[in-house]
C-alpha cells in the first residue's frame, strides 16, 4: 500500500517537475546528469568490451528501476550455439482474437500511449483474392471471432535472412544476430526511419514520444537488444522475444495463442516443430517475390 | 389404455417441442433426443418398482435397471440410453453434442464415459462412468509425458489420426514451456469440448488505434527519472 | 596581407550595410528563422508525435523538401557546364551565383535531414572511426558522403575563385575541381534517387526510371529558381546579368522539362497499362484510392503547371520580354516542388506495405520548421551575395583602393 501511495505521490511531483524538466531538456533522452552523458558516449553494442557492457547494463538497470520503482534486470544473453530461430503460423487455425498482440505488448514493454503494437492481425475475405494486402483490414471489430467468411493473418517482424532493413541502416544500429534475430541497439539508433521505409512487412515502429508504460505493467525481465524500455525517437520491432527464447522459452505470442496456431523452434534441429511443419505442411512466406527470405513461415494444416 | 397412451404421447411430444424451441431446433429435424422421447414407454409389469434416478425405467429385484417389459437394459443394445435420463440435467451438453459432428458420426456418450461398454448393464456402466469421468478429465488434464499421448490417442487419436499425428509432433494445438526442453502438451480436451469439439468463438481484443487516433497529448504521465536527488 | 585583411573586413562589413529594404528583408528572415527554431523546440521537447508522421507514413514534409533541394543543388551544374566547359561568357559571369545556390541548397538539405532525425545528437554514429557508418551498404551513408563532398567542392571552388578574382590572378588551377563537380552534381541527385529506388518494399519508388526523372526535374526547377533569383539580384543590386544568360537557361528548361514530362509519361504508361497491384500508389496520387484523394488536386495542379510551362519555355525564344518566362519559372518551381516533394515521398508510403491508407498531412509544427529552414537558406544566400558582390563588381581588388 505504501508503495502505491509513494508512486502516486511521486507521480504528482513528477508531473510538476516534468514541465520544467522537459523544457530544460534539449532533446530526447529525457533528463540530464552524468548518466545521459555516459549514454551519449556509449559504444555500439558490438564494440563494447565486457567491462563496458557490464557498466552499461548496470546503468540501465539503475535508470529503469528508478523510473518505474521496481527492480529491473537487463541481460545481454548471447545466442545459443547451433540455433537459427524460425517461426510457424497456422493460418487455418488463427481465429483473429488478437491475444498475441496484447501478450506481446505486455511482455515487451511496448508503449501503451502512444500505442505501439508489434503484431498486426490482418483480416482477409475468403474466396475472393488470396493475400491481397490492399483488401486487408487490420481494424476489424467483431462480437466474436472467427467471423464467417474471413480468415486472419497476423504479421510481425519476419526476421528475414536477407533483411532490407539492416541493409539500409546508415549506422549499423540494426543487424542480424547469429541465431537469426534482427535486433536494434536502441542507444545507437539515430531515428532516421530509413529501415521503416525499407521493411516490406510494416514490422518496424517508431517511438513518436516517450513511450508510456504504466509502472505496474512493466516487465522487469529484459534483454538489452529486446524488451528493455526504449527511449523516444528510436525504432523498435519484434525480436522473437529474445529475452525468453535465448533461455529456451517459447515467445510470449506462441504461449498465449488459444488456438495453438503459433509454432516456434530451431531451424537447425531436424526434430524441431518448425522443421516438421516446413517439411510436412504447405508453407509460404509473405512477399516471397522480394527475396527477403523470411524465417517466418505461414502454413495451412487443414 | 389407448386413451392413456395417446395422452402420454401428446404430452411427451409437447414437452420435447417446447423444450427444443429455445434451442433453435426445427421440429421437423429428427434428432436422437426426439427418438428417445418417443421410445419412453410406461411400465406394464407390476413386479417392478419405478426407478428414482431414471424416470421411465424400473428397478427389478436384483437392483438392475430394466425397461417396462422387465428386460435388463444393456448399453450395447441401446446406445442412446444415457440421454434418455440425463437429458434434463445435462441439457446443454446433450444439445451441443446432438448438433456436433460427434453426434452425426455416432460418437456416443459411452465412447468416453462408459469405457468398455460392450454388454455392461446400466448399473455397471454407472460405476464405470464414475471412474472414467475422473479418468478423462483429471488424468487427461494433469497427466504429463507419454501418458498424455496415450490418453490423447485412446480417446481422440483413434479417429482423428491426422490431427493426433500433428499434435504429437507439436504442430496441432498448443504447447508451452521450452522450445528446446520441457514442454507442456495441451491435451485435446483443454481446447476442444468433446461434446462440441468445434473450437469456440471468442471475443477479440480491441482493434489497434488508427494513425490519426494516435494524437499528441500534453505531457502528464511523463516520468522524469531521478526525482529524489533532483538530478 | 594587411590590405587583404582590410578588404576582407570591408567585404564582411558589406553584409551589415544596406538600405531599409535590405534590413526589412533580413529581419523578416530572422523572424521566420525564430519561428522555425521555436517549432523545432516543440518537436524536440515532445517528439515526432507533434508531426503528421506515423508508422504508416514514416517520412513526410521534411524529406519532401530535402529531395526537392538536392535537385536545386545539383542544378548548379547547368551553369558550370556552359560556363567553364564551353566558356559561354554571359553564364560564366554569373556562375558564382549558381554555386552559391548549390551551397545554400545543400545547407538546407542538411538542416531538413537533421530536423527529420529522432536523435540528431547521435549523428556522430555515422562518422568513420568514432561511429559505425554502414558503408557501402546503406544508400544514406552514400548520400551523406556525396552531399557533404558536394558542399565542400562548391565551397572551395567558390571561395577560391572569389579570392583569385579579388587578387586579380588566374584561377584556372581550380579547373580539375570544377570538372569533378560536374559528375558530382549528377551523383548527388542519383544517389538521392537511389535512396528511394533501392527499396523493393515500395514499388512506387522501385522503378529504374527514378534517377533520370530526378535529374530531369531537378534540371528544370533549379534553373527556374535561378532565373528568378538572378533577375531579383539584377534589379536590387545593379549587378550586370545579361538577358542572354537567362534566355539560355530558359531554353535549357524547355529541353529538361520536355524530358521530365516524357519520363513521367513512361512511368505512368508502364504502371497503368500493366495494371497490377503496384499501381495502387500511382492511383492514389492521380485519381485517389478507396476514397482517399488528398494528393489528387495537387498532382493535377503540378502536372498542369509543368506541361503549360513547357510550352511557354518552348516558345520563349520568340518572346520579347521576360514576363512570361518568369511566370513559367514560377509554374515550374511550384510544379516540380509538388511533384517531387509530396508527389514522390507520400505515395511511396500510401498505401503502406500492409495495404493501409493513412493520409499524411503535415502539421503546423512541420510547416513552421520548414519555413524556418527556407528562411535560413534565403538568409545564407543573401549574406553570401552581400559578401561577394563588391568583389565581383570589381569594387574590391588587391592593390587597389576600394574607393
Amino acid at each position: 500500500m505504501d508503495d502505491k501511495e509513494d508512486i502516486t505521490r511521486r507521480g504528482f511531483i513528477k508531473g510538476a517537475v516534468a514541465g520544467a524538466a522537459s523544457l530544460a531538456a534539449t532533446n530526447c533522452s529525457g533528463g540530464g546528469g552524468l548518466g545521459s552523458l555516459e549514454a551519449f558516449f556509449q559504444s555500439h553494442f558490438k564494440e563494447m568490451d565486457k567491462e563496458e557492457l557490464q557498466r552499461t547494463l548496470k546503468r540501465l538497470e539503475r535508470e529503469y528501476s528508478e523510473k518505474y520503482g521496481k527492480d529491473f534486470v537487463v541481460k545481454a544473453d548471447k545466442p545459443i550455439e547451433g540455433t537459427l530461430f524460425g517461426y510457424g503460423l497456422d493460418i487455418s487455425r488463427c481465429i483473429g482474437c488478437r491475444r498475441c498482440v496484447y501478450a506481446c505488448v505486455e511482455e515487451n514493454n511496448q508503449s501503451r500511449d502512444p500505442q505501439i503494437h508489434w503484431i498486426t492481425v490482418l483480416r482477409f475475405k475468403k474466396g475472393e483474392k488470396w493475400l491481397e494486402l490492399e483488401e486487408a483490414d487490420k481494424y476489424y471489430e467483431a462480437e466474436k471471432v472467427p467471423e464467417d467468411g474471413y480468415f486472419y493473418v497476423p504479421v510481425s517482424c519476419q526476421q528475414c535472412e536477407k533483411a532490407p532493413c539492416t541493409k539500409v541502416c546508415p549506422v549499423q544500429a540494426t543487424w542480424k544476430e547469429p541465431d537469426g534475430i534482427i535486433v536494434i541497439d536502441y542507444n545507437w539508433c539515430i531515428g532516421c526511419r530509413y529501415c521503416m521505409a525499407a521493411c516490406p512487412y510494416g514490422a518496424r515502429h517508431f517511438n513518436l514520444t516517450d513511450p508510456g508504460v504504466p509502472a505496474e505493467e512493466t516487465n522487469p525481465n529484459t534483454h538489452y537488444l529486446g524488451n528493455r524500455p526504449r527511449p523516444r525517437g528510436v525504432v523498435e520491432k519484434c525480436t522473437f522475444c529474445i529475452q525468453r527464447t535465448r533461455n529456451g522459452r517459447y515467445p510470449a505470442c506462441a504461449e498465449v495463442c488459444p488456438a495453438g496456431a503459433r509454432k516456434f523452434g530451431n531451424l537447425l534441429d531436424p526434430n524441431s516443430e518448425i522443421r516438421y511443419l516446413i517439411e510436412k505442411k504447405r508453407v509460404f512466406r509473405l512477399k516471397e517475390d522480394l527475396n527477403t527470405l523470411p524465417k517466418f513461415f505461414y502454413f495451412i494444416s487443414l | 389404455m389407448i386413451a392413456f397412451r395417446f395422452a402420454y404421447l401428446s404430452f411427451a411430444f409437447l414437452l420435447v417441442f417446447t423444450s427444443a424451441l429455445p434451442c433453435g431446433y426445427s421440429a421437423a429435424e429428427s434428432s436422437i433426443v426426439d427418438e428417445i422421447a418417443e421410445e419412453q414407454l410406461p411400465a406394464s409389469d407390476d413386479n417392478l418398482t419405478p426407478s428414482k434416478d431414471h424416470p421411465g425405467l424400473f428397478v427389478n429385484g436384483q437392483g438392475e435397471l430394466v425397461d417396462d417389459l422387465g428386460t435388463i437394459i444393456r448399453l450395447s443394445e441401446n446406445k442412446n440410453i444415457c440421454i434418455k435420463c440425463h437429458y434434463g440435467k445435462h441439457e446443454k451438453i446433450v444439445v451441443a453434442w446432438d448438433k456436433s459432428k460427434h453426434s452425426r458420426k455416432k460418437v456416443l456418450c459411452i465412447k468416453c464415459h462408459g469405457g468398455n461398454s460392450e454388454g455392461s448393464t446400466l448399473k455397471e456402466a454407472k460405476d464405470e462412468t464414475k471412474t472414467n469421468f475422473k479418468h478423462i478429465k483429471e488424468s487427461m488434464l494433469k497427466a504429463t509425458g507419454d501418458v498424455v499421448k496415450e490418453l490423447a490417442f485412446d480417446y481422440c487419436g483413434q479417429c482423428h489420426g491426422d490431427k493426433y499425428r500433428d499434435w504429437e509432433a507439436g504442430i496441432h494445438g498448443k504447447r508451452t514451456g521450452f522450445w528446446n526442453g520441457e514442454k507442456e502438451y495441451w491435451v485435446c480436451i483443454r481446447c476442444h469440448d468433446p461434446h462440441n469439439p468445434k473450437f469456440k468463438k471468442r471475443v477479440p481484443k480491441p482493434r489497434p488505434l488508427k494513425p490519426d487516433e494516435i494524437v499528441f497529448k500534453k505531457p502528464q504521465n511523463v516520468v522524469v527519472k531521478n526525482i529524489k536527488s533532483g538530478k | 596581407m594587411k590590405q587583404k585583411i582590410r578588404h576582407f573586413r570591408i567585404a564582411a562589413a558589406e553584409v551589415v550595410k544596406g538600405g531599409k529594404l535590405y534590413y526589412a528583408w533580413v529581419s523578416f528572415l530572422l523572424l521566420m528563422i525564430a519561428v522555425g527554431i521555436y517549432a523545432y523546440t516543440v518537436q524536440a521537447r515532445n517528439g515526432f508525435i507533434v508531426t503528421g508522421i506515423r508508422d504508416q507514413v514514416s517520412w513526410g514534409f521534411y524529406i519532401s523538401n530535402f529531395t526537392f533541394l538536392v535537385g536545386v543543388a545539383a542544378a548548379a551544374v547547368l551553369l558550370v557546364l556552359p560556363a567553364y566547359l564551353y566558356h559561354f561568357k554571359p553564364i560564366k559571369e554569373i556562375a558564382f551565383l549558381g554555386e552559391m545556390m548549390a551551397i545554400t541548397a545543400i545547407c538546407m538539405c542538411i538542416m531538413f535531414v537533421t530536423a527529420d532525425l529522432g536523435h540528431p545528437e547521435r549523428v556522430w554514429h555515422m562518422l568513420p572511426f568514432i561511429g559505425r557508418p554502414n558503408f557501402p551498404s546503406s544508400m544514406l551513408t552514400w548520400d551523406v558522403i556525396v552531399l557533404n563532398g558536394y558542399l565542400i567542392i562548391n565551397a572551395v571552388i567558390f571561395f577560391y575563385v572569389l579570392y583569385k578574382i579579388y587578387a586579380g590572378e588566374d584561377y584556372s588551377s581550380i579547373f580539375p575541381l570544377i570538372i569533378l563537380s560536374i559528375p558530382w552534381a549528377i551523383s548527388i541527385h542519383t544517389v538521392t534517387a537511389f535512396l528511394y529506388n533501392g527499396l523493393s518494399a515500395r514499388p512506387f519508388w522501385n522503378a529504374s526510371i527514378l534517377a533520370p526523372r530526378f535529374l530531369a526535374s531537378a534540371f528544370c526547377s533549379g534553373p527556374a529558381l535561378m532565373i528568378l533569383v538572378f533577375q531579383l539580384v539584377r534589379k536590387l543590386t545593379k549587378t550586370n546579368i545579361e538577358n542572354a544568360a537567362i534566355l539560355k537557361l530558359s531554353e535549357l528548361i524547355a529541353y529538361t522539362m520536355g524530358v521530365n514530362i516524357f519520363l513521367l509519361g513512361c512511368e505512368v504508361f508502364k504502371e497503368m497499362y500493366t495494371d497490377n497491384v503496384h499501381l495502387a500508389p500511382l492511383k492514389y496520387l492521380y485519381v485517389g484510392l478507396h476514397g482517399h484523394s488528398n494528393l489528387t488536386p495537387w498532382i493535377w495542379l503540378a502536372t498542369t503547371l509543368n506541361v503549360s510551362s513547357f510550352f511557354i519555355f518552348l516558345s520563349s525564344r520568340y518572346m520579347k520580354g521576360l514576363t512570361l518566362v518568369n511566370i513559367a519559372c514560377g509554374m515550374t518551381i511550384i510544379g516540380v516542388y509538388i511533384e517531387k516533394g509530396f508527389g514522390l515521398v507520400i505515395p511511396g508510403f500510401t498505401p503502406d506495405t500492409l495495404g493501409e491508407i493513412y493520409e499524411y498531412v503535415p502539421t503546423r509544427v512541420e510547416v513552421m520548421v520548414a519555413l524556418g529552414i527556407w528562411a535560413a537558406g534565403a538568409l545564407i544566400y543573401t549574406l553570401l551575395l552581400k559578401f561577394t558582390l563588391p568583389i565581383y563588381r570589381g569594387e574590391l581588388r588587391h592593390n587597389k583602393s576600394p574607393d
Side-chain angles (χ1 to χ4, degrees):
Chain A
M1 284 299 116
D2 279 358
D3 282 0
K4 218 176 184 182
E5 266 179 18
D6 191 41
I7 286 169
T8 47
R9 187 181 57 83
R10 270 209 267 155
F12 179 75
I13 301 169
K14 275 167 194 166
V17 179
S22 60
L23 275 170
T26 45
N27 220 317
C28 312
S29 39
L34 277 172
S36 60
L37 202 67
E38 213 182 317
F40 178 75
F41 287 114
Q42 185 188 317
S43 309
H44 186 275
F45 178 79
K46 285 205 222 170
E47 282 173 358
M48 278 192 236
D49 54 25
K50 255 188 189 157
E51 196 259 333
E52 190 184 355
L53 181 63
Q54 282 314 313
R55 211 174 54 231
T56 307
L57 297 179
K58 282 278 160 308
R59 191 191 74 231
L60 291 172
E61 283 176 356
R62 215 170 43 238
E63 231 170 73
Y64 300 148
S65 304
E66 275 171 18
K67 185 169 177 183
Y68 295 108
K70 60 178 171 189
D71 285 340
F72 264 73
V73 182
V74 184
K75 293 175 295 181
D77 296 326
K78 294 212 159 55
I80 303 169
E81 284 279 316
T83 52
L84 185 67
F85 289 128
Y87 207 106
L89 202 149
D90 189 346
I91 60 166
S92 58
R93 299 277 171 222
C94 176
I95 57 168
C97 68
R98 297 204 188 97
R99 297 289 188 282
C100 50
V101 177
Y102 289 89
C104 173
V105 165
E106 275 167 31
E107 170 67 31
N108 291 298
N109 292 320
Q110 271 132 273
S111 174
R112 281 30 168 208
D113 182 25
Q115 188 184 66
I116 292 180
H117 286 172
W118 286 355
I119 302 174
T120 304
V121 185
L122 298 175
R123 186 185 75 173
F124 292 88
K125 212 173 192 135
K126 275 182 188 166
E128 285 179 7
K129 286 174 173 172
W130 171 226
L131 287 175
E132 168 65 50
L133 286 162
E134 231 190 279
E135 309 288 325
D137 181 10
K138 73 184 226 193
Y139 300 111
Y140 63 90
E141 283 173 301
E143 255 172 48
K144 287 277 181 82
V145 286
E147 300 153 277
D148 294 332
Y150 294 99
F151 66 97
Y152 305 86
V153 180
V155 182
S156 52
C157 177
Q158 310 283 303
Q159 315 288 359
C160 309
E161 269 301 281
K162 285 172 70 178
C165 52
T166 60
K167 191 161 80 177
V168 302
C169 176
V171 294
Q172 302 182 34
T174 179
W175 66 91
K176 193 180 78 197
E177 285 277 290
D179 53 3
I181 305 176
I182 310 282
V183 293
I184 301 169
D185 182 346
Y186 311 118
N187 282 25
W188 196 258
C189 169
I190 60 171
C192 71
R193 309 188 296 293
Y194 197 8
C195 54
M196 295 173 73
C199 174
Y201 306 102
R204 290 178 162 258
H205 305 274
F206 187 63
N207 282 284
L208 293 165
T209 186
D210 295 313
V213 187
E216 62 275 14
E217 287 176 30
T218 49
N219 174 9
N221 300 313
T222 67
H223 191 285
Y224 181 89
L225 299 171
N227 62 337
R228 70 182 168 100
R230 272 78 66 186
R232 83 152 71 135
V234 300
V235 172
E236 61 179 62
K237 59 177 274 298
C238 157
T239 61
F240 276 171
C241 279
I242 193 167
Q243 67 281 2
R244 296 167 65 102
T245 48
R246 282 201 179 163
N247 289 306
R249 295 180 64 192
Y250 281 116
C253 50
E255 286 225 325
V256 81
C257 180
R262 290 173 167 271
K263 303 294 159 199
F264 179 83
N266 181 7
L267 289 166
L268 303 180
D269 172 10
N271 300 317
S272 66
E273 294 153 29
I274 187 76
R275 280 286 288 274
Y276 178 93
L277 77 88
I278 289 171
E279 282 155 25
K280 301 275 163 51
K281 299 294 173 190
R282 306 292 183 272
V283 179
F284 73 94
R285 294 182 274 184
L286 277 185
K287 302 195 183 184
E288 284 191 301
D289 51 331
L290 301 185
N291 198 28
T292 51
L293 307 180
K295 290 191 290 293
F296 201 103
F297 298 86
Y298 293 92
F299 69 105
I300 295 154
S301 70
L302 276 179
Chain B
M1 203 62 201
I2 288 168
F4 178 71
R5 277 188 177 184
F6 178 76
Y8 190 94
L9 273 176
S10 318
F11 177 71
F13 182 76
L14 205 69
L15 191 80
V16 169
F17 186 71
T18 48
S19 67
L21 265 183
C23 311
Y25 263 101
S26 85
E29 203 176 277
S30 146
S31 72
I32 288 168
V33 180
D34 298 335
E35 286 166 22
I36 291 159
E38 282 165 23
E39 275 174 25
Q40 286 188 351
L41 296 168
S44 59
D45 195 330
D46 292 333
N47 296 332
L48 305 173
T49 48
S51 164
K52 279 179 194 165
D53 301 330
H54 299 85
L57 293 183
F58 302 89
V59 183
N60 65 11
Q62 286 77 47
E64 289 283 4
L65 275 172
V66 293
D67 65 8
D68 55 344
L69 299 171
T71 325
I72 294 177
I73 293 173
R74 290 177 190 280
L75 293 175
S76 52
E77 289 156 10
N78 191 346
K79 294 189 176 179
N80 291 322
I81 195 84
C82 323
I83 294 169
K84 201 181 242 175
C85 309
H86 294 287
Y87 180 64
K89 226 179 182 179
H90 302 290
E91 186 184 331
K92 264 191 185 165
I93 291 175
V94 175
V95 169
W97 168 84
D98 192 31
K99 281 193 207 167
S100 78
K101 207 173 174 180
H102 272 167
S103 155
R104 290 197 293 282
K105 297 278 178 189
K106 304 281 181 223
V107 181
L108 308 173
C109 318
I110 50 165
K111 177 79 190 168
C112 304
H113 291 296
N116 177 18
S117 58
E118 284 306 307
S120 49
T121 64
L122 271 193
K123 189 167 179 280
E124 288 160 2
K126 195 179 172 187
D127 299 338
E128 259 177 63
T129 305
K130 271 192 180 148
T131 49
N132 265 331
F133 192 67
K134 260 192 180 161
H135 187 54
I136 302 162
K137 206 158 189 183
E138 286 175 26
S139 313
M140 225 171 175
L141 291 178
K142 278 182 188 163
T144 51
D146 287 343
V147 183
V148 183
K149 289 186 188 173
E150 274 171 33
L151 287 170
F153 179 76
D154 284 350
Y155 284 101
C156 311
Q158 291 190 56
C159 300
H160 303 285
D162 53 340
K163 301 289 186 301
Y164 178 78
R165 188 192 58 210
D166 282 354
W167 175 81
E168 201 182 13
I171 299 310
H172 180 102
K174 182 164 171 168
R175 272 183 183 188
T176 54
F178 293 80
W179 58 265
N180 62 355
E182 189 86 355
K183 293 175 184 50
E184 194 185 346
Y185 287 64
W186 281 47
V187 79
C188 321
I189 62 162
R190 270 181 91 168
C191 303
H192 301 282
D193 177 358
H195 307 107
N196 184 15
K198 197 165 193 282
F199 201 80
K200 294 283 171 299
K201 289 194 176 205
R202 54 183 72 212
V203 183
K205 293 265 191 176
R207 68 164 175 81
L209 291 179
K210 292 177 183 172
D212 33 23
E213 290 167 344
I214 296 175
V215 289
F216 172 58
K217 291 171 198 141
K218 284 267 178 281
Q220 41 187 353
N221 303 328
V222 177
V223 182
V224 176
K225 56 171 184 174
N226 233 342
I227 295 299
K228 280 181 224 157
S229 55
K231 254 194 259 176
Chain C
M1 191 62 206
K2 248 186 184 173
Q3 197 203 11
K4 279 180 195 168
I5 293 170
R6 198 167 67 89
H7 280 165
F8 174 78
R9 292 229 304 266
I10 290 170
E14 272 298 299
V15 167
V16 291
K17 276 192 228 156
K20 272 183 189 162
L21 190 66
Y22 175 68
Y23 273 106
W25 169 241
V26 170
S27 4
F28 167 72
L29 291 181
L30 285 174
L31 182 76
M32 296 313 284
I33 292 170
V35 167
I37 290 172
Y38 165 73
Y40 185 73
T41 57
V42 171
Q43 181 187 308
R45 205 166 57 232
N46 301 305
F48 274 76
I49 190 116
V50 297
T51 70
I53 285 164
R54 294 291 177 268
D55 285 349
Q56 288 78 359
V57 178
S58 50
W59 282 343
F61 200 46
Y62 299 149
I63 297 295
S64 305
N65 278 292
F66 161 79
T67 313
F68 175 77
L69 284 166
V70 175
V72 172
V77 78
L78 286 187
L79 289 185
V80 172
L81 215 64
Y84 296 105
L85 283 189
Y86 297 102
H87 300 288
F88 183 64
K89 203 170 163 283
I91 284 192
K92 194 167 182 176
E93 280 169 359
I94 53 162
F96 74 102
L97 289 173
E99 280 154 5
M100 272 161 51
M101 190 165 278
I103 293 170
T104 312
I106 297 285
C107 288
M108 291 167 74
C109 286
I110 291 168
M111 284 189 261
F112 269 117
V113 171
T114 311
D116 193 60
L117 291 182
H119 276 278
E121 84 281 7
R122 292 182 185 170
V123 280
W124 63 271
H125 293 173
M126 224 189 271
L127 300 176
F129 308 117
I130 58 164
R132 264 176 90 96
N134 192 8
F135 186 80
S137 174
S138 172
M139 276 298 123
L140 208 51
T141 56
W142 282 77
D143 217 25
V144 168
I145 292 168
V146 293
L147 285 180
N148 285 298
Y150 193 66
L151 179 63
I152 291 164
I153 288 174
N154 270 286
V156 167
I157 294 174
F158 172 70
F159 286 109
Y160 182 81
V161 171
L162 194 67
Y163 174 73
K164 285 292 176 184
I165 288 175
Y166 158 76
E169 289 165 18
D170 176 43
Y171 54 79
S172 56
S173 53
I174 199 79
F175 201 64
L177 206 56
I178 291 173
I179 296 291
L180 178 66
S181 81
I182 295 166
W184 204 288
I186 310 282
S187 83
I188 62 165
H189 220 28
T190 308
V191 170
T192 307
F194 285 176
L195 204 76
Y196 300 101
N197 204 178
L199 306 179
S200 57
R202 312 279 172 183
F204 185 70
W205 298 336
N206 194 18
S208 46
I209 209 167
L210 199 72
R213 268 184 71 196
F214 264 43
L215 286 167
S217 63
F219 290 164
C220 20
S221 58
L225 195 58
M226 283 175 202
I227 289 177
L228 294 183
V229 171
F230 291 172
Q231 287 177 76
L232 264 177
V233 169
R234 182 163 72 177
K235 207 165 190 178
L236 295 172
T237 65
K238 301 182 188 70
T239 313
N240 182 35
I241 298 169
E242 284 178 44
N243 263 358
I246 288 169
L247 287 173
K248 192 79 189 170
L249 282 178
S250 68
E251 191 189 327
L252 260 172
I253 302 177
Y255 302 142
T256 50
M257 183 53 96
V259 174
N260 184 35
I261 293 168
F262 170 70
L263 292 179
L264 174 70
C266 294
E267 180 69 17
V268 170
F269 165 78
K270 175 243 172 188
E271 295 289 7
M272 292 284 185
Y273 194 79
T274 44
D275 190 19
N276 61 9
V277 288
H278 293 166
L279 180 60
L282 202 75
K283 245 190 194 159
Y284 169 69
L285 186 58
Y286 280 95
V287 293
L289 195 64
H290 302 303
H292 301 277
S293 56
N294 270 1
L295 281 185
T296 313
W298 292 97
I299 198 66
W300 283 110
L301 173 69
T303 312
T304 316
L305 291 175
N306 284 347
V307 172
S308 25
S309 74
F310 169 63
F311 286 108
I312 297 176
F313 282 123
L314 259 191
S315 45
S316 66
R317 63 173 66 190
Y318 309 110
M319 288 170 200
K320 278 185 184 162
L322 285 174
T323 327
L324 216 51
V325 169
N326 287 342
I327 292 172
C329 283
M331 290 161 74
T332 305
I333 294 165
I334 297 168
V336 172
Y337 182 73
I338 296 170
E339 184 196 302
K340 199 172 173 180
F342 262 79
L344 176 98
V345 175
I346 310 305
F349 293 103
T350 328
D352 79 352
T353 48
L354 296 182
E356 185 185 350
I357 298 173
Y358 162 57
E359 290 216 274
Y360 166 82
V361 179
T363 59
R364 236 180 314 163
V365 171
E366 284 170 282
V367 175
M368 276 152 72
V369 169
L371 266 178
I373 294 174
W374 276 95
L379 188 67
I380 292 172
Y381 196 81
T382 310
L383 299 184
L384 275 177
L385 195 66
K386 267 283 192 182
F387 179 80
T388 316
L389 278 179
I391 295 165
Y392 265 91
R393 282 201 300 243
E395 290 158 12
L396 276 183
R397 283 285 190 272
H398 189 48
N399 297 328
K400 178 190 164 216
S401 166
D403 313 307

